[in-house]
Amino acid sequence: MNKSQRTNQGRYRIVFGLGIFCVLAAALYTACKRPLDVWSCDIGSESTVMTTPKTGDAKFMKDKILSGADGHMILFDQDGTVYREFADIPLNWLSVYEPENLVVAASWKKELRLVALNDDWTVKRNEIIPVPRKADTLMIDPTLIKVKRTYILTWVEIDGSINNGDAQAQNGIYTVKCMKSKNLSDWKAAPDILSYQKNIEDADMIFKNKTLYYFFEKEEYDKGPSSINVMMSKDYGRSWHSETELLAPVADHELASIEAKKNRFVLYYSSDADSPGTSYTGAKIYQASFARDFKRKDNRRVDIGEDKGILLYDTKKAADGRYYLYARDYCKENDLVWTFLRY
């Protein structure tokens, strides 16, 4: 799903709240009638709500929150205050590489930017990445990782209709492009990862077990049923194979983040699985765990005490819990919220 096209007017208002809640475990059923656990019981939480400016895609970055507001990059403190704005850096979709304070920003200006930040959050580097593409094509949902000494960059290029919301209409062609660099300046094109006449969005890439894994959402039309899939490369991106469907298209799944553990992968996503067809309005947070062969071990809802619909952007592990970053009631209120659940 696209997570851009935000407008923001008025002043910044931050509402900070702290609460403790307890929820009871319950048995739920997915659309395919598979039992679904609810992760709950004696969980302490704290939250910050950013009501304005209205933001787009957002990620955790160290002790800050990085997002796009009114089409440019903005940095929030955890208390919700605006720490710094970067009016000269267009941003609607982003990827962060925390170890080196790197940001890849994609925007409606139809460009990809590489931004390097100093430890004091000032800009050290801000430049357009010279990517090969067709004229007038939009680029969304970048990913950036580093494998050994090589940076691997991906993005989704859209040729034709963008974010089609009509099940009967023709979709654009979504192609996942890839480039590599040793120094972040000299980029070389790598083979495309995949291409479909379907919405391909919400990507994440990790390197584990000498394999590159590219995770993504695939859907026929905006807010419709979508699957979460993965592609693999065992030769550092020279070829891609073994597309595997992890979550079937029985609801509108929105991938947020992947955590690779020793013998399994954990997916964090939002979904309207409890009420298919409601999309963002009825979506909740879920956690799915898979063995290395991608046979699912379990799938459970994560109850953070939020009554309204959730569009999950990111999660971040802490020593005693996990942070969740999401848009609350995206279609109406679009408040950016982070919540911490203590284990």
Side-chain angles (χ1 to χ4, degrees):
M1 298 294 183
N2 287 338
K3 301 169 183 172
S4 57
Q5 296 177 319
R6 310 293 198 265
T7 58
N8 58 348
Q9 295 180 347
R11 61 189 179 85
Y12 300 131
R13 295 183 294 110
I14 307 301
V15 180
F16 179 76
L18 178 65
I20 297 179
F21 63 90
C22 182
V23 291
L24 299 175
L28 298 176
Y29 290 85
T30 60
C32 58
K33 305 301 181 183
R34 182 180 183 274
L36 187 68
D37 295 328
V38 182
W39 187 8
S40 59
C41 190
D42 296 327
I43 302 177
S45 78
E46 55 183 292
S47 300
T48 296
V49 182
M50 286 149 271
T51 58
T52 56
K54 300 304 181 186
T55 60
D57 199 4
K59 299 293 181 185
F60 289 114
M61 191 169 186
K62 297 189 174 177
D63 64 342
K64 300 289 189 288
I65 294 167
L66 193 64
S67 185
D70 196 24
H72 64 265
M73 194 166 85
I74 189 168
L75 196 65
F76 291 97
D77 263 324
Q78 287 192 12
D79 65 0
T81 56
V82 176
Y83 182 83
R84 182 162 292 161
E85 287 194 69
F86 306 86
D88 60 336
I89 300 178
L91 189 154
N92 297 99
W93 302 269
L94 77 153
S95 176
V96 301
Y97 182 63
E98 280 193 325
E100 298 182 23
N101 289 354
L102 297 175
V103 181
V104 177
S107 72
W108 284 99
K109 290 185 177 293
K110 300 180 179 179
E111 64 185 26
L112 286 182
R113 281 184 177 267
L114 176 69
V115 180
L117 299 171
N118 294 305
D119 289 337
D120 64 357
W121 301 104
T122 56
V123 175
K124 177 166 59 177
R125 184 174 182 174
N126 173 22
E127 58 195 42
I128 295 176
I129 301 173
V131 299
R133 66 184 181 90
K134 295 181 179 179
D136 204 38
T137 53
L138 183 66
M139 297 175 286
I140 68 170
D141 291 343
T143 72
L144 178 68
I145 64 171
K146 189 176 184 179
V147 179
K148 296 183 177 180
R149 298 180 181 178
T150 301
Y151 298 93
I152 302 176
L153 168 70
T154 76
W155 68 96
V156 180
E157 180 181 275
I158 307 174
D159 186 8
S161 178
I162 298 169
N163 199 35
N164 170 50
D166 183 353
Q168 306 304 317
Q170 187 176 33
N171 216 331
I173 298 174
Y174 286 58
T175 302
V176 180
K177 313 292 286 187
C178 185
M179 294 182 72
K180 298 179 182 180
S181 176
K182 296 287 188 181
N183 56 14
L184 296 173
S185 295
D186 302 310
W187 292 92
K188 293 183 179 180
D192 294 346
I193 297 176
L194 57 90
S195 185
Y196 284 107
Q197 199 164 359
K198 298 181 180 182
N199 293 354
I200 303 296
E201 299 161 339
D202 300 334
D204 200 1
M205 180 181 281
I206 61 173
F207 181 74
K208 184 75 173 177
N209 306 320
K210 298 182 180 180
T211 303
L212 280 168
Y213 297 90
Y214 183 83
F215 297 85
F216 61 97
E217 176 195 2
K218 177 167 46 172
E219 64 180 354
E220 297 289 342
Y221 58 93
D222 186 27
K223 300 180 184 177
S226 61
S227 62
I228 301 297
N229 295 20
V230 63
M231 289 280 286
M232 289 163 265
S233 173
K234 295 185 177 296
D235 54 11
Y236 300 95
R238 288 188 289 274
S239 63
W240 293 86
H241 58 86
S242 304
E243 180 175 349
T244 303
E245 183 180 275
L246 305 178
L247 298 174
V250 295
D252 185 8
H253 305 310
E254 302 284 338
L255 181 64
S257 64
I258 309 292
E259 182 177 302
K261 300 196 175 189
K262 184 177 181 180
N263 293 311
R264 62 191 176 104
F265 298 90
V266 181
L267 280 63
Y268 295 91
Y269 65 102
S270 53
S271 174
D272 64 354
D274 285 351
S275 51
T278 60
S279 190
Y280 306 130
T281 303
K284 304 298 181 184
I285 296 175
Y286 294 84
Q287 172 187 314
S289 180
F290 296 84
R292 285 177 58 176
D293 59 2
F294 290 111
K295 293 182 179 179
R296 188 164 64 185
K297 287 186 175 180
D298 66 359
N299 192 16
R300 62 183 65 191
R301 181 164 63 85
V302 181
D303 193 333
I304 62 171
E306 177 61 72
D307 295 329
K308 298 182 179 180
I310 293 172
L311 174 57
L312 188 63
Y313 288 135
D314 198 13
T315 73
K316 189 170 186 177
K317 184 180 179 182
D320 56 347
R322 181 171 294 273
Y323 292 91
Y324 297 86
L325 180 64
Y326 62 95
R328 181 173 66 188
D329 197 6
Y330 168 77
C331 293
K332 295 180 180 179
E333 298 177 10
N334 187 26
D335 294 331
L336 182 63
V337 185
W338 70 258
T339 294
F340 178 71
L341 289 187
R342 200 176 309 281
Y343 298 143

